[in-house]
Amino acid sequence: MEIIKRPAPPTGLRRGLWRLPILMYRVGLGPLLGGRVMLLTHTGRVSGRRRQAVIEVVQHDEHGYVAASGFGRKADWYRNVMATPEVTLQVGGRTLRATATPLEADLGAEILARYAPRHPVAARHLCRIMGFAVDGSVEDYREAGKLIPFVRFTPRI
């Protein structure tokens, strides 16, 4: 695994395209995106306003949903949920309240190492967004996973 260039979050037209799935959720088409994509509603750390982002689910189990911050710790949604971890998730047609918790680097490494063989195109794309060149091996993904921030969203009852 090699660190190449860490891109900044999208701006302008590119940002609008990245946010298009939010509009899909707002008009009721979120279930068409399937269970690998979720709408995250969170609180802005500065404004206190409701904010939304669509992020990919890299793991779903009995403990909740796990997502990776593709733009690292500088991503607005990541910084917001670290400041105010109480969030709402929409996954497919299901809505639930959850609490966000950052995962340890070693756990993130194992999650990405398991995710990559199941979703090789998405895993390579995530690494490219984060500025990592990977050779496709599980070990390379494990190394990249140590540097990518992962968040677990645990449903609140």
Side-chain angles (χ1 to χ4, degrees):
M1 192 264 321
E2 175 187 354
I3 298 175
I4 43 178
K5 180 185 175 195
R6 297 257 172 115
T11 58
L13 177 61
R14 194 166 155 236
R15 183 175 190 265
L17 293 173
W18 274 88
R19 295 184 59 80
L20 192 59
I22 294 172
L23 180 61
M24 291 180 68
Y25 270 100
R26 286 182 182 165
V27 299
L29 299 176
L32 294 177
L33 298 173
R36 284 188 45 210
V37 178
M38 68 180 169
L39 176 67
L40 168 67
T41 302
H42 52 95
T43 304
R45 67 194 174 284
V46 175
S47 68
R49 293 177 149 170
R50 183 181 82 123
R51 302 291 184 201
Q52 293 183 313
V54 171
I55 54 180
E56 183 179 2
V57 174
V58 295
Q59 179 177 300
H60 174 226
D61 57 24
E62 66 277 4
H63 303 293
Y65 297 88
V66 174
S69 180
F71 291 105
R73 288 175 176 79
K74 292 183 179 182
D76 284 331
W77 75 262
Y78 182 84
R79 292 166 52 191
N80 289 342
V81 303
M82 292 300 100
T84 306
E86 294 76 27
V87 301
T88 302
L89 307 176
Q90 238 180 298
V91 184
R94 184 173 177 219
T95 301
L96 58 136
R97 295 177 349 162
T99 302
T101 309
L103 298 181
E104 296 292 326
D106 287 339
L107 183 53
E110 291 310 311
I111 288 171
L112 189 58
R114 287 192 309 267
Y115 175 81
R118 292 190 326 264
H119 307 286
V121 173
R124 190 174 294 273
H125 184 67
L126 172 64
C127 288
R128 189 171 54 246
I129 287 171
M130 288 291 299
F132 304 126
V134 292
D135 64 12
S137 69
V138 170
E139 192 53 43
D140 239 19
Y141 283 113
R142 187 173 283 115
E143 287 303 310
K146 289 179 183 177
L147 302 173
I148 297 172
F150 286 84
V151 178
R152 178 178 304 281
F153 297 94
T154 306
R156 291 181 295 188
I157 297 173

